[in-house]
Amino acid sequence: KVQRKMSSWDIQDLMVSAPAYQQMAILLCDDTRVVKVFLDVVKPEDVDAVAKAVVDISEVMGRGLQVVQALTLAEFEKNVSVNTIFRLQSLASRSISHYVRKVGAIYLSTIFGDLLPMLLKNELSESLEIDPTKLTKFDDVNKVVEANRQKLANVTQIIFDRITSPEMVQVF
């Protein structure tokens, strides 16, 4: 049995070139009952691979969040005890993990891609240490702590402004 990892681009190319796969993807994304059936039929050793495939396919179709939500809801409906929800390597928990990693990487890259190098080059070339016990080489430790606290507040504000900017909120 040979398995090859497929990227989202591979899946998108496959769906474009093979209409049957596109129909399957549409069914998978449009009817959450189809996804919910997977919860009961996927073998434990296949959960991770199926979760990744479901997330990749649904993301290509622009329905990743809806499919992960459907799996999550099905997991809640299936479990009778709150102590067992997301405790095992279930299809829902693995799908959430893959989705968060996939979307999170894009989000972090969009938010911080150009910001972090700039901050590291400019702001962070100077110390932002605010723990007085680590600044013993300075004569006026309190003055250094206060200056670093202000620099740290400025850097934090830049990051916060980027995260909450209308452009970023609208995209995500």
Side-chain angles (χ1 to χ4, degrees), residues 22-36:
Q22 189 174 24
Q23 290 172 352
M24 180 192 72
I26 291 169
L27 181 63
L28 175 75
C29 293
D30 286 349
D31 189 348
T32 57
R33 294 175 300 175
V34 174
V35 173
K36 291 177 183 179

Side-chain angles (χ1 to χ4, degrees), residues 88-143:
L88 304 172
Q89 292 291 355
S90 69
L91 186 60
S93 65
R94 296 307 303 152
S95 295
I96 291 169
S97 177
H98 285 294
Y99 180 78
V100 167
R101 239 181 273 130
K102 183 180 206 82
V103 174
I106 295 166
Y107 175 78
L108 290 174
S109 176
T110 303
I111 293 286
F112 298 115
D114 62 333
L115 185 62
L116 284 181
M118 179 193 71
L119 291 173
L120 290 170
K121 187 176 182 182
N122 298 334
E123 294 289 336
L124 299 183
S125 59
E126 299 177 35
S127 174
L128 297 177
E129 184 60 63
I130 58 172
D131 182 354
T133 63
K134 295 181 180 178
L135 297 169
T136 56
K137 66 179 182 178
F138 296 97
D139 293 333
D140 191 355
V141 172
N142 290 334
K143 189 175 181 178

Side-chain angles (χ1 to χ4, degrees), residues 32-52:
T32 57
R33 294 175 300 175
V34 174
V35 173
K36 291 177 183 179
V37 168
F38 287 159
L39 289 172
D40 296 322
V41 298
V42 175
K43 296 176 187 172
E45 62 269 16
D46 296 330
V47 165
D48 198 55
V50 171
K52 184 177 183 330

